[in-house]
Amino acid sequence: MANIISDETIDYVGILAKLELSEEEKEQAKKDMGSMLDYIDKLSELDTEGVEPMSHVFHVSNVFREDVVTNGDDREAILKNAPEEKDGMFVVPRTFE
């Protein structure tokens, strides 16, 4: 099953991708896109009866953890490393005049 990709489609995809393609590159892109669409057509022939839809090949569970503070407020210990401190903050040199 050969998918025919038009010049207009290649031009439009080039605009979306912000690409300037030569005529040779456009022809190659047409072939490549056609091959991809042929492969997708081939995949649609597979019998997926009874196969649950999924978003990942492997089982993915919630990887997020509760946001729990574990180190507390170590402001005093942190400020001991500061060369200079004022009102509980680091004092740094000005970066502009």
Coordinates of all heavy atoms in Angstrom, one line a residue:
M1 N 0.9 -1.2 0.0 CA 0.0 0.0 0.0 C 0.9 1.2 0.0 O 1.6 1.5 1.0 CB -0.9 0.0 1.3 CG -1.9 1.0 1.3 SD -2.9 1.0 2.8 CE -3.2 -0.6 3.1
A2 N 1.0 1.9 -1.1 CA 1.9 3.1 -1.2 C 1.1 4.4 -0.8 O 0.1 4.7 -1.4 CB 2.4 3.2 -2.6
N3 N 1.6 5.0 0.2 CA 1.1 6.3 0.5 C 1.8 7.4 -0.3 O 3.0 7.5 -0.4 CB 1.4 6.6 2.0 CG 0.5 5.8 2.9 OD1 -0.7 6.0 2.9 ND2 1.0 4.9 3.7
I4 N 1.0 8.2 -0.9 CA 1.5 9.3 -1.7 C 1.5 10.6 -0.9 O 0.5 11.1 -0.4 CB 0.6 9.5 -3.0 CG1 0.4 8.2 -3.8 CG2 1.2 10.7 -3.8 CD1 1.7 7.7 -4.3
I5 N 2.7 11.1 -0.7 CA 2.9 12.4 0.0 C 3.0 13.5 -1.0 O 3.9 13.5 -1.9 CB 4.1 12.3 0.9 CG1 4.1 11.1 1.8 CG2 4.3 13.6 1.8 CD1 3.0 11.0 2.8
S6 N 2.2 14.5 -0.9 CA 2.2 15.6 -1.8 C 3.4 16.6 -1.5 O 3.9 16.7 -0.4 CB 0.9 16.4 -1.8 OG 0.7 17.1 -0.6
D7 N 3.7 17.4 -2.5 CA 4.7 18.5 -2.3 C 4.2 19.5 -1.3 O 5.0 20.0 -0.5 CB 5.0 19.2 -3.7 CG 5.8 18.3 -4.6 OD1 6.5 17.3 -4.2 OD2 5.6 18.5 -5.9
E8 N 2.9 19.7 -1.3 CA 2.3 20.7 -0.4 C 2.5 20.2 1.1 O 2.8 21.0 2.0 CB 0.9 20.9 -0.7 CG 0.6 21.7 -2.0 CD 0.7 20.8 -3.2 OE1 0.6 19.5 -3.1 OE2 0.8 21.3 -4.3
T9 N 2.3 18.9 1.3 CA 2.5 18.3 2.6 C 3.9 18.5 3.1 O 4.2 18.9 4.2 CB 2.1 16.8 2.6 OG1 0.7 16.7 2.2 CG2 2.3 16.2 4.0
I10 N 4.9 18.2 2.2 CA 6.3 18.3 2.6 C 6.6 19.8 2.9 O 7.3 20.1 3.8 CB 7.2 17.8 1.4 CG1 7.0 16.3 1.3 CG2 8.7 18.1 1.7 CD1 7.4 15.5 2.5
D11 N 6.1 20.7 2.0 CA 6.3 22.1 2.3 C 5.8 22.6 3.6 O 6.4 23.3 4.4 CB 5.7 23.0 1.2 CG 6.5 22.8 -0.2 OD1 7.7 22.4 -0.1 OD2 5.9 23.1 -1.2
Y12 N 4.6 22.1 3.9 CA 3.9 22.4 5.2 C 4.7 21.9 6.4 O 4.9 22.6 7.4 CB 2.5 21.9 5.2 CG 1.7 22.3 6.4 CD1 1.4 23.6 6.7 CD2 1.3 21.3 7.3 CE1 0.7 23.9 7.9 CE2 0.6 21.6 8.5 CZ 0.3 22.9 8.7 OH -0.4 23.2 9.9
V13 N 5.1 20.6 6.3 CA 5.9 20.1 7.4 C 7.2 20.8 7.5 O 7.7 21.1 8.7 CB 6.2 18.5 7.1 CG1 7.2 18.0 8.1 CG2 4.9 17.8 7.2
G14 N 7.8 21.2 6.4 CA 9.1 22.0 6.5 C 8.8 23.3 7.2 O 9.7 23.8 8.0
I15 N 7.7 24.0 6.9 CA 7.4 25.2 7.6 C 7.2 25.0 9.1 O 7.7 25.7 9.9 CB 6.1 25.9 7.0 CG1 6.4 26.4 5.6 CG2 5.6 27.0 7.9 CD1 5.2 26.8 4.8
L16 N 6.5 24.0 9.4 CA 6.2 23.7 10.9 C 7.5 23.4 11.6 O 7.7 23.8 12.7 CB 5.3 22.5 11.0 CG 3.8 22.7 10.6 CD1 3.1 21.4 10.7 CD2 3.2 23.8 11.5
A17 N 8.5 22.7 10.9 CA 9.7 22.3 11.5 C 10.8 23.4 11.3 O 11.9 23.2 11.8 CB 10.2 21.0 10.9
K18 N 10.4 24.5 10.7 CA 11.3 25.6 10.4 C 12.6 25.1 9.7 O 13.7 25.4 10.0 CB 11.7 26.3 11.7 CG 10.5 26.9 12.4 CD 10.9 27.7 13.6 CE 9.8 28.2 14.4 NZ 9.0 29.2 13.9
L19 N 12.3 24.3 8.6 CA 13.4 23.7 7.8 C 13.3 24.3 6.4 O 12.3 24.5 5.8 CB 13.3 22.2 7.7 CG 13.4 21.4 9.0 CD1 13.2 19.9 8.7 CD2 14.8 21.6 9.6
E20 N 14.5 24.5 5.8 CA 14.6 24.9 4.4 C 15.2 23.7 3.7 O 16.3 23.3 3.9 CB 15.4 26.1 4.2 CG 14.8 27.4 4.7 CD 15.7 28.6 4.4 OE1 16.4 28.6 3.4 OE2 15.6 29.6 5.2
L21 N 14.3 23.0 2.9 CA 14.8 21.8 2.2 C 15.0 22.0 0.8 O 14.3 22.7 0.1 CB 13.7 20.7 2.4 CG 13.3 20.3 3.8 CD1 12.1 19.4 3.8 CD2 14.5 19.7 4.5
S22 N 16.1 21.4 0.3 CA 16.4 21.5 -1.2 C 15.4 20.5 -1.8 O 14.7 19.7 -1.2 CB 17.8 21.0 -1.4 OG 18.0 19.6 -1.1
E23 N 15.4 20.5 -3.2 CA 14.5 19.7 -3.9 C 14.8 18.2 -3.6 O 13.9 17.3 -3.5 CB 14.5 20.0 -5.4 CG 13.8 21.3 -5.8 CD 12.4 21.4 -5.3 OE1 11.6 20.4 -5.4 OE2 12.0 22.4 -4.7
E24 N 16.1 17.9 -3.6 CA 16.5 16.5 -3.3 C 16.1 16.1 -1.9 O 15.6 15.0 -1.7 CB 18.1 16.4 -3.4 CG 18.6 16.6 -4.8 CD 20.1 16.9 -4.8 OE1 20.7 17.0 -3.7 OE2 20.6 17.0 -5.9
E25 N 16.2 17.0 -0.9 CA 15.8 16.7 0.5 C 14.3 16.5 0.5 O 13.8 15.6 1.3 CB 16.3 17.8 1.4 CG 17.8 17.8 1.6 CD 18.2 19.0 2.3 OE1 17.7 20.1 2.2 OE2 19.2 18.9 3.1
K26 N 13.6 17.3 -0.2 CA 12.1 17.1 -0.3 C 11.7 15.8 -0.8 O 10.8 15.1 -0.3 CB 11.5 18.3 -1.1 CG 11.5 19.6 -0.4 CD 10.8 20.7 -1.3 CE 10.9 22.0 -0.7 NZ 10.3 23.1 -1.5
E27 N 12.4 15.3 -1.9 CA 12.1 14.0 -2.5 C 12.4 12.9 -1.5 O 11.6 12.0 -1.3 CB 12.8 13.8 -3.8 CG 12.3 14.7 -4.9 CD 10.8 14.4 -5.2 OE1 10.4 13.2 -5.2 OE2 10.1 15.4 -5.3
Q28 N 13.5 13.0 -0.8 CA 13.9 12.0 0.2 C 12.9 12.0 1.4 O 12.5 11.0 1.9 CB 15.3 12.3 0.7 CG 15.8 11.2 1.7 CD 15.8 9.8 1.0 OE1 16.3 9.7 -0.1 NE2 15.3 8.8 1.7
A29 N 12.5 13.2 1.8 CA 11.5 13.3 2.9 C 10.1 12.7 2.5 O 9.5 12.0 3.3 CB 11.3 14.8 3.3
K30 N 9.8 12.9 1.2 CA 8.5 12.2 0.7 C 8.6 10.7 0.8 O 7.7 10.0 1.2 CB 8.2 12.7 -0.7 CG 7.6 14.1 -0.8 CD 7.6 14.6 -2.2 CE 6.8 13.8 -3.2 NZ 6.7 14.6 -4.5
K31 N 9.8 10.2 0.4 CA 10.0 8.7 0.4 C 10.0 8.2 1.9 O 9.3 7.2 2.2 CB 11.3 8.4 -0.2 CG 11.3 8.5 -1.7 CD 12.7 8.2 -2.3 CE 12.8 8.5 -3.7 NZ 14.2 8.3 -4.2
D32 N 10.7 9.0 2.8 CA 10.7 8.6 4.2 C 9.4 8.6 4.8 O 9.0 7.7 5.6 CB 11.7 9.5 5.0 CG 13.1 9.3 4.5 OD1 13.5 8.2 3.9 OD2 14.0 10.2 4.9
M33 N 8.6 9.7 4.6 CA 7.3 9.8 5.2 C 6.3 8.7 4.6 O 5.5 8.1 5.4 CB 6.7 11.2 4.9 CG 7.3 12.2 5.8 SD 6.6 13.9 5.5 CE 5.1 13.7 6.3
G34 N 6.5 8.4 3.3 CA 5.7 7.3 2.7 C 6.0 6.0 3.4 O 5.1 5.2 3.7
S35 N 7.3 5.7 3.6 CA 7.7 4.5 4.3 C 7.1 4.4 5.7 O 6.6 3.3 6.1 CB 9.2 4.4 4.4 OG 9.8 4.3 3.1
M36 N 7.1 5.5 6.4 CA 6.6 5.5 7.8 C 5.1 5.2 7.8 O 4.6 4.4 8.6 CB 6.8 6.9 8.5 CG 8.3 7.1 8.9 SD 8.5 8.6 9.8 CE 9.1 9.7 8.5
L37 N 4.4 5.9 6.8 CA 2.9 5.7 6.8 C 2.6 4.2 6.3 O 1.6 3.6 6.8 CB 2.3 6.7 5.8 CG 2.3 8.1 6.3 CD1 1.8 9.1 5.3 CD2 1.5 8.3 7.6
D38 N 3.4 3.7 5.4 CA 3.2 2.3 5.0 C 3.4 1.4 6.2 O 2.7 0.4 6.4 CB 4.2 1.9 3.9 CG 3.9 2.5 2.6 OD1 2.7 2.9 2.4 OD2 4.8 2.5 1.7
Y39 N 4.4 1.6 7.1 CA 4.6 0.8 8.3 C 3.5 0.9 9.2 O 3.0 -0.1 9.8 CB 5.9 1.3 9.0 CG 6.3 0.4 10.1 CD1 6.7 -0.9 10.0 CD2 6.2 1.0 11.4 CE1 7.0 -1.7 11.1 CE2 6.5 0.2 12.5 CZ 6.9 -1.1 12.3 OH 7.3 -1.9 13.4
I40 N 2.9 2.1 9.4 CA 1.8 2.3 10.3 C 0.6 1.5 9.7 O -0.2 0.9 10.5 CB 1.4 3.8 10.5 CG1 2.5 4.5 11.3 CG2 0.1 4.0 11.1 CD1 2.5 6.0 11.3
D41 N 0.4 1.6 8.4 CA -0.7 0.8 7.8 C -0.5 -0.7 8.1 O -1.4 -1.4 8.4 CB -0.7 1.0 6.3 CG -1.3 2.4 5.9 OD1 -2.0 3.0 6.8 OD2 -1.2 2.8 4.8
K42 N 0.7 -1.2 8.0 CA 1.1 -2.6 8.3 C 0.7 -2.9 9.7 O 0.2 -4.0 10.0 CB 2.5 -2.8 8.0 CG 3.0 -4.2 8.1 CD 2.5 -5.0 6.8 CE 3.0 -6.4 6.8 NZ 2.3 -7.2 5.9
L43 N 1.0 -2.0 10.6 CA 0.7 -2.3 12.0 C -0.8 -2.4 12.3 O -1.2 -3.1 13.1 CB 1.3 -1.2 12.9 CG 2.8 -1.2 13.1 CD1 3.3 0.0 13.9 CD2 3.3 -2.4 13.8
S44 N -1.6 -1.6 11.5 CA -3.0 -1.7 11.7 C -3.6 -3.0 11.3 O -4.8 -3.3 11.6 CB -3.7 -0.5 10.9 OG -3.6 -0.7 9.5
E45 N -2.8 -3.8 10.6 CA -3.3 -5.1 10.2 C -3.2 -6.1 11.4 O -3.8 -7.2 11.3 CB -2.5 -5.7 9.0 CG -2.7 -4.9 7.8 CD -1.7 -5.3 6.7 OE1 -1.1 -6.4 6.8 OE2 -1.6 -4.6 5.7
L46 N -2.5 -5.8 12.4 CA -2.3 -6.7 13.6 C -3.7 -6.9 14.3 O -4.4 -6.0 14.5 CB -1.3 -6.2 14.5 CG 0.1 -6.2 14.1 CD1 1.0 -5.4 15.1 CD2 0.6 -7.6 13.8
D47 N -3.9 -8.2 14.8 CA -5.0 -8.5 15.6 C -4.8 -8.0 17.0 O -3.9 -8.6 17.7 CB -5.3 -10.0 15.5 CG -6.5 -10.4 16.4 OD1 -7.3 -9.5 16.7 OD2 -6.6 -11.6 16.7
T48 N -5.5 -7.0 17.5 CA -5.3 -6.5 18.8 C -6.5 -6.8 19.7 O -6.7 -6.2 20.7 CB -5.0 -5.0 18.8 OG1 -6.1 -4.3 18.1 CG2 -3.7 -4.7 18.1
E49 N -7.3 -7.8 19.3 CA -8.4 -8.2 20.1 C -8.0 -8.6 21.4 O -7.1 -9.5 21.6 CB -9.2 -9.3 19.3 CG -10.5 -9.7 20.0 CD -11.6 -8.6 19.9 OE1 -11.5 -7.9 18.8 OE2 -12.4 -8.5 20.8
G50 N -8.6 -8.1 22.5 CA -8.3 -8.4 23.8 C -7.0 -7.8 24.4 O -6.6 -8.1 25.5
V51 N -6.4 -6.9 23.6 CA -5.1 -6.3 24.1 C -5.6 -4.9 24.7 O -6.2 -4.1 24.0 CB -4.1 -6.1 23.0 CG1 -2.9 -5.3 23.5 CG2 -3.7 -7.4 22.4
E52 N -5.2 -4.7 26.0 CA -5.6 -3.5 26.6 C -4.7 -2.3 26.1 O -3.5 -2.5 25.9 CB -5.3 -3.6 28.1 CG -6.2 -4.5 28.9 CD -7.6 -3.9 29.0 OE1 -7.7 -2.7 29.3 OE2 -8.6 -4.7 29.0
P53 N -5.4 -1.2 25.8 CA -4.6 0.0 25.4 C -3.6 0.4 26.5 O -3.9 0.3 27.7 CB -5.7 1.1 25.2 CG -7.0 0.4 25.1 CD -6.8 -0.9 25.9
M54 N -2.4 0.9 26.1 CA -1.4 1.3 27.0 C -0.7 2.5 26.5 O -0.6 2.7 25.3 CB -0.5 0.1 27.4 CG 0.3 -0.4 26.2 SD 1.4 -1.7 26.6 CE 0.7 -3.0 25.8
S55 N -0.1 3.2 27.4 CA 0.7 4.4 27.0 C 2.2 4.0 27.0 O 3.0 4.8 26.5 CB 0.4 5.6 27.9 OG 0.8 5.2 29.3
H56 N 2.6 2.9 27.7 CA 4.0 2.5 27.8 C 4.0 1.0 27.5 O 3.1 0.3 27.8 CB 4.6 2.8 29.1 CG 4.6 4.3 29.4 ND1 3.6 5.0 29.9 CD2 5.6 5.2 29.3 CE1 3.9 6.2 30.1 NE2 5.1 6.4 29.7
V57 N 5.2 0.6 27.0 CA 5.4 -0.9 26.8 C 5.5 -1.6 28.1 O 5.0 -2.7 28.3 CB 6.6 -1.1 26.0 CG1 6.9 -2.6 25.8 CG2 6.5 -0.4 24.6
F58 N 6.1 -1.0 29.1 CA 6.3 -1.6 30.4 C 5.3 -1.0 31.4 O 4.9 0.2 31.3 CB 7.7 -1.3 30.9 CG 8.8 -1.9 30.0 CD1 9.5 -1.1 29.2 CD2 9.0 -3.3 29.9 CE1 10.5 -1.5 28.4 CE2 9.9 -3.8 29.1 CZ 10.7 -2.9 28.3
H59 N 5.0 -1.8 32.4 CA 4.0 -1.3 33.4 C 4.7 -0.1 34.2 O 5.8 -0.2 34.6 CB 3.7 -2.4 34.5 CG 2.9 -1.9 35.6 ND1 1.6 -1.5 35.4 CD2 3.2 -1.6 36.9 CE1 1.1 -1.1 36.6 NE2 2.1 -1.2 37.5
V60 N 4.0 1.0 34.3 CA 4.5 2.2 34.9 C 3.5 2.5 36.1 O 2.3 2.6 35.9 CB 4.5 3.4 33.9 CG1 5.0 4.7 34.6 CG2 5.4 3.1 32.8
S61 N 4.1 2.7 37.2 CA 3.3 3.1 38.4 C 3.7 4.5 38.8 O 4.7 5.1 38.3 CB 3.5 2.1 39.5 OG 4.9 2.1 39.9
N62 N 2.9 5.1 39.6 CA 3.1 6.4 40.1 C 4.5 6.5 40.7 O 4.8 5.9 41.7 CB 2.0 6.9 41.0 CG 2.2 8.3 41.4 OD1 3.1 9.0 40.9 ND2 1.3 8.8 42.3
V63 N 5.4 7.3 40.2 CA 6.8 7.4 40.7 C 6.9 8.6 41.6 O 8.0 8.9 42.1 CB 7.8 7.5 39.5 CG1 7.8 6.2 38.8 CG2 7.5 8.7 38.6
F64 N 5.8 9.4 41.8 CA 5.9 10.5 42.7 C 5.8 10.2 44.1 O 5.1 9.2 44.5 CB 4.8 11.6 42.3 CG 5.0 12.1 40.9 CD1 4.1 11.7 39.9 CD2 6.0 13.0 40.6 CE1 4.2 12.2 38.6 CE2 6.1 13.5 39.3 CZ 5.2 13.1 38.3
R65 N 6.5 10.9 45.0 CA 6.4 10.6 46.4 C 5.8 11.8 47.1 O 5.7 12.9 46.5 CB 7.8 10.4 46.9 CG 8.7 11.6 46.8 CD 10.1 11.4 47.5 NE 11.0 12.5 47.2 CZ 11.0 13.7 47.6 NH1 10.0 14.1 48.3 NH2 11.9 14.6 47.2
E66 N 5.4 11.6 48.3 CA 4.8 12.7 49.1 C 5.9 13.8 49.3 O 7.1 13.4 49.5 CB 4.3 12.2 50.4 CG 3.1 11.3 50.3 CD 1.9 12.1 49.8 OE1 1.7 13.3 50.2 OE2 1.2 11.5 49.0
D67 N 5.6 15.0 49.2 CA 6.5 16.1 49.4 C 6.6 16.3 50.9 O 5.8 17.1 51.6 CB 6.0 17.4 48.7 CG 7.1 18.5 48.7 OD1 8.2 18.2 49.0 OD2 6.7 19.6 48.4
V68 N 7.6 15.7 51.5 CA 7.8 15.8 53.0 C 9.2 16.4 53.3 O 10.2 16.0 52.7 CB 7.8 14.3 53.6 CG1 8.0 14.4 55.1 CG2 6.4 13.7 53.3
V69 N 9.2 17.4 54.1 CA 10.5 18.0 54.5 C 11.2 17.1 55.4 O 10.7 16.6 56.4 CB 10.2 19.4 55.2 CG1 11.5 20.0 55.7 CG2 9.4 20.3 54.3
T70 N 12.5 16.8 55.0 CA 13.2 15.8 55.8 C 14.4 16.5 56.5 O 15.0 16.0 57.4 CB 13.7 14.7 55.0 OG1 14.5 15.2 53.9 CG2 12.6 13.9 54.4
N71 N 14.9 17.7 56.0 CA 16.1 18.3 56.6 C 15.7 19.5 57.4 O 16.6 20.0 58.0 CB 17.1 18.6 55.5 CG 16.5 19.6 54.5 OD1 15.3 19.9 54.5 ND2 17.3 20.1 53.6
G72 N 14.5 19.9 57.5 CA 14.2 21.0 58.4 C 14.8 22.4 58.0 O 15.4 22.5 56.9
D73 N 14.8 23.3 58.9 CA 15.4 24.6 58.7 C 16.8 24.7 59.3 O 16.9 24.8 60.5 CB 14.5 25.7 59.4 CG 14.9 27.1 59.1 OD1 15.8 27.3 58.3 OD2 14.4 28.0 59.8
D74 N 17.8 24.5 58.5 CA 19.2 24.6 58.9 C 19.8 25.9 58.6 O 21.0 25.9 58.2 CB 20.0 23.4 58.3 CG 19.5 22.1 58.8 OD1 19.0 22.0 59.9 OD2 19.8 21.1 58.1
R75 N 19.0 27.0 58.6 CA 19.5 28.3 58.2 C 20.8 28.7 58.9 O 21.8 29.1 58.3 CB 18.5 29.3 58.4 CG 18.9 30.7 58.0 CD 17.9 31.8 58.3 NE 16.7 31.4 57.5 CZ 15.9 32.3 56.9 NH1 16.2 33.5 57.0 NH2 14.9 31.9 56.3
E76 N 20.8 28.5 60.2 CA 22.0 28.9 61.0 C 23.3 28.1 60.5 O 24.3 28.6 60.4 CB 21.8 28.7 62.5 CG 20.8 29.7 63.0 CD 20.6 29.5 64.5 OE1 21.5 28.9 65.2 OE2 19.6 30.0 65.0
A77 N 23.1 26.8 60.4 CA 24.2 25.9 59.9 C 24.7 26.3 58.5 O 25.9 26.4 58.2 CB 23.8 24.5 60.0
I78 N 23.8 26.6 57.7 CA 24.1 27.0 56.3 C 24.8 28.4 56.3 O 25.8 28.6 55.6 CB 22.8 27.1 55.4 CG1 22.3 25.7 55.2 CG2 23.1 27.7 54.1 CD1 20.9 25.6 54.6
L79 N 24.3 29.3 57.1 CA 24.9 30.7 57.1 C 26.3 30.7 57.7 O 27.0 31.6 57.5 CB 23.9 31.6 57.8 CG 22.7 32.1 57.0 CD1 21.8 32.9 57.8 CD2 23.1 32.8 55.7
K80 N 26.6 29.7 58.5 CA 28.0 29.6 59.0 C 29.0 29.5 57.9 O 30.2 29.8 58.1 CB 28.1 28.4 59.9 CG 27.4 28.6 61.3 CD 27.6 27.3 62.2 CE 26.9 27.5 63.5 NZ 27.0 26.3 64.3
N81 N 28.6 29.0 56.7 CA 29.5 28.9 55.6 C 29.6 30.2 54.8 O 30.5 30.3 53.9 CB 29.0 27.8 54.6 CG 29.1 26.4 55.2 OD1 30.1 26.1 55.9 ND2 28.1 25.7 55.1
A82 N 28.8 31.2 55.1 CA 28.8 32.4 54.3 C 29.9 33.3 54.8 O 30.2 33.5 56.0 CB 27.5 33.1 54.6
P83 N 30.7 33.9 53.8 CA 31.7 34.8 54.2 C 31.1 36.1 54.9 O 31.8 36.6 55.8 CB 32.4 35.2 52.9 CG 31.7 34.5 51.8 CD 30.6 33.7 52.4
E84 N 29.9 36.4 54.5 CA 29.2 37.5 55.1 C 27.7 37.3 55.1 O 27.2 36.8 54.2 CB 29.6 38.8 54.3 CG 29.1 40.1 55.0 CD 29.5 41.4 54.3 OE1 30.4 41.3 53.4 OE2 29.0 42.4 54.6
E85 N 27.1 37.7 56.2 CA 25.6 37.4 56.4 C 25.0 38.7 57.0 O 25.6 39.4 57.7 CB 25.5 36.2 57.3 CG 24.1 35.9 57.8 CD 23.7 36.5 59.1 OE1 24.6 36.6 60.0 OE2 22.6 36.9 59.3
K86 N 23.7 38.9 56.5 CA 23.0 40.1 57.1 C 21.5 39.7 57.1 O 21.0 39.2 56.1 CB 23.2 41.3 56.2 CG 22.4 42.5 56.7 CD 22.7 43.7 55.8 CE 21.8 44.9 56.3 NZ 21.9 46.0 55.4
D87 N 20.9 39.8 58.2 CA 19.5 39.5 58.4 C 19.1 38.1 57.9 O 18.1 37.9 57.3 CB 18.6 40.6 57.7 CG 18.8 42.0 58.2 OD1 19.1 42.1 59.4 OD2 18.7 42.9 57.4
G88 N 20.0 37.1 58.2 CA 19.6 35.8 57.9 C 19.8 35.4 56.4 O 19.3 34.4 55.9
M89 N 20.6 36.3 55.7 CA 20.8 36.0 54.2 C 22.2 36.2 53.9 O 23.0 36.9 54.6 CB 19.9 37.0 53.4 CG 18.4 36.9 53.6 SD 17.5 38.1 52.6 CE 17.5 39.4 53.8
F90 N 22.7 35.6 52.8 CA 24.0 35.7 52.3 C 24.2 37.1 51.7 O 23.3 37.7 51.1 CB 24.3 34.8 51.1 CG 24.5 33.4 51.5 CD1 23.5 32.5 51.6 CD2 25.8 32.9 51.8 CE1 23.7 31.2 51.9 CE2 26.1 31.6 52.2 CZ 25.0 30.7 52.3
V91 N 25.3 37.8 52.0 CA 25.7 39.0 51.4 C 26.6 38.7 50.2 O 27.7 38.1 50.5 CB 26.3 40.0 52.4 CG1 26.7 41.3 51.7 CG2 25.3 40.3 53.5
V92 N 26.3 39.2 49.0 CA 27.2 38.9 47.9 C 27.5 40.3 47.2 O 26.8 41.3 47.4 CB 26.5 38.0 46.9 CG1 26.2 36.6 47.5 CG2 25.2 38.6 46.4
P93 N 28.6 40.3 46.4 CA 29.0 41.5 45.7 C 27.9 41.9 44.7 O 27.3 41.1 44.1 CB 30.3 41.2 45.0 CG 30.8 39.9 45.6 CD 29.6 39.2 46.2
R94 N 27.8 43.2 44.5 CA 26.9 43.7 43.5 C 27.4 43.2 42.1 O 28.6 43.2 41.9 CB 26.8 45.2 43.5 CG 26.1 45.8 44.7 CD 26.1 47.3 44.7 NE 25.1 47.7 43.6 CZ 24.1 48.4 43.8 NH1 23.9 48.9 45.0 NH2 23.2 48.7 42.9
T95 N 26.4 43.0 41.2 CA 26.8 42.5 39.9 C 26.6 43.6 38.8 O 26.9 43.4 37.7 CB 26.1 41.2 39.5 OG1 24.6 41.5 39.6 CG2 26.4 40.1 40.4
F96 N 26.1 44.7 39.2 CA 25.9 45.8 38.3 C 26.2 47.1 39.0 O 26.2 47.2 40.2 CB 24.5 45.8 37.7 CG 23.4 46.0 38.8 CD1 22.9 47.2 39.2 CD2 22.9 44.9 39.5 CE1 22.0 47.4 40.1 CE2 21.9 45.0 40.5 CZ 21.5 46.3 40.8
E97 N 26.4 48.1 38.2 CA 26.7 49.5 38.7 C 25.5 50.4 38.7 O 24.6 50.3 38.0 CB 27.8 50.1 37.9 CG 29.1 49.4 38.0 CD 29.8 49.5 39.3 OE1 29.6 50.5 40.0 OE2 30.4 48.5 39.7

